[in-house]
Amino acid sequence: SKSRSNSTLCLQMGIIKTLLSHAVDAGHIDHNPIDQIRVPKAALAKTKPRRAFKENEIQIILDAVRGQSPAFKYWVHLGVFTGARSAEIIGLRPEDLTEIEGVICIRIVDHVLRSVKTTTSNRIVPLHMGLGETIEWMDSRASEELIIPNVSVVQKAVENYSHKFRRLIENSGIRIRGQETFQSLRHSFRAALRDADVKDEFARRLLGHVPLDIHGKYGNEVPVKSLADAVNRVYREIKV
């Protein structure tokens, strides 16, 4: 059978752990039998490093997805302008599109259909001003279980979308230097925040590197409007 990467195993293990945790909470089982199981990290020496895309390459990617299906196109848009992981986007529910302090945001939170990578990954991300069309499409999916259609298992959809993204990169004319994957958009967003002189604290909050408290707020709370200002400082010349 086809072997799975450690990252895939970690995501799948997280999904199973979340389901079993819900079963414990509901009283169906006494304990989570795999709670302490960890997937060993793969040797890094065998893996080419992921790199951030340059801004002109981001524009090439956005141009290339214009003729794609709405779900794939807006998955890429959200990856570019939020730095969210693939599974975080594919697992978005309609209720995760929300308005806070007059700012349209997405809530990336653990739920029964998709677990997040770590506790600190639970976060609120304001949506970039260039995502108006994306927001309209997301809003049109309000009656569905997940915003991305035809997803029965999030991890399977992640694999399918990732393969399609890789093919798009290979056919786009972008020079392949290492592991150009969807995760590269996350590195690109982090680099764009840095280049725009966004405070490291804000960048860490947007990327899910700062924990939320029990009320779903950051320890030293930053107004959502301040985070929105930070998001809108990046990719100002990019045409969606």
Side-chain angles (χ1 to χ4, degrees), residues 144-228:
E144 305 299 328
E145 188 172 43
L146 293 175
I147 290 175
I148 298 292
N150 304 318
V151 174
S152 55
V153 178
V154 168
Q155 182 52 38
K156 184 64 177 176
V158 167
E159 293 174 3
N160 291 338
Y161 273 59
S162 295
H163 292 154
K164 187 174 181 179
F165 183 77
R166 178 66 181 185
R167 290 195 300 271
L168 181 131
I169 295 301
E170 291 172 347
N171 294 328
S172 68
I174 292 175
R175 182 181 174 188
I176 304 299
R177 297 182 179 88
Q179 278 199 332
E180 284 80 0
T181 67
F182 190 83
Q183 182 74 3
S184 299
L185 296 178
R186 182 170 171 83
H187 295 297
S188 305
F189 185 69
R190 179 68 181 91
L193 291 170
R194 183 178 61 248
D195 292 344
D197 294 323
V198 170
K199 292 181 181 179
D200 185 64
E201 176 192 4
F202 287 13
R204 288 171 60 80
R205 293 177 190 278
L206 291 167
L207 291 166
H209 296 158
V210 177
L212 297 168
D213 66 20
I214 59 173
H215 302 295
K217 298 180 180 180
Y218 297 107
N220 297 315
E221 191 171 359
V222 174
V224 171
K225 286 186 178 180
S226 296
L227 293 177

Side-chain angles (χ1 to χ4, degrees), residues 90-105:
I90 290 176
L92 287 172
R93 303 162 299 176
E95 59 263 39
D96 293 326
L97 179 66
T98 186
E99 183 173 334
I100 303 173
E101 300 175 14
V103 177
I104 304 297
C105 307

Side-chain angles (χ1 to χ4, degrees), residues 45-117:
K46 297 180 180 179
T47 304
K48 292 182 180 180
R50 291 190 179 99
R51 70 172 180 90
F53 292 112
K54 297 176 182 178
E55 190 160 319
N56 70 302
E57 293 174 328
I58 293 290
Q59 185 63 69
I60 290 172
I61 291 168
L62 291 175
D63 290 343
V65 298
R66 286 201 175 109
Q68 300 289 333
S69 68
F72 182 77
K73 177 171 68 173
Y74 298 130
W75 171 73
V76 172
H77 285 186
L78 289 168
V80 168
F81 290 102
T82 69
R85 300 176 180 91
S86 179
E88 292 174 341
I89 298 170
I90 290 176
L92 287 172
R93 303 162 299 176
E95 59 263 39
D96 293 326
L97 179 66
T98 186
E99 183 173 334
I100 303 173
E101 300 175 14
V103 177
I104 304 297
C105 307
I106 53 171
R107 296 166 60 251
I108 298 174
V109 294
D110 218 9
H111 59 77
V112 68
L113 297 175
R114 187 260 289 124
S115 62
V116 293
K117 187 173 183 180

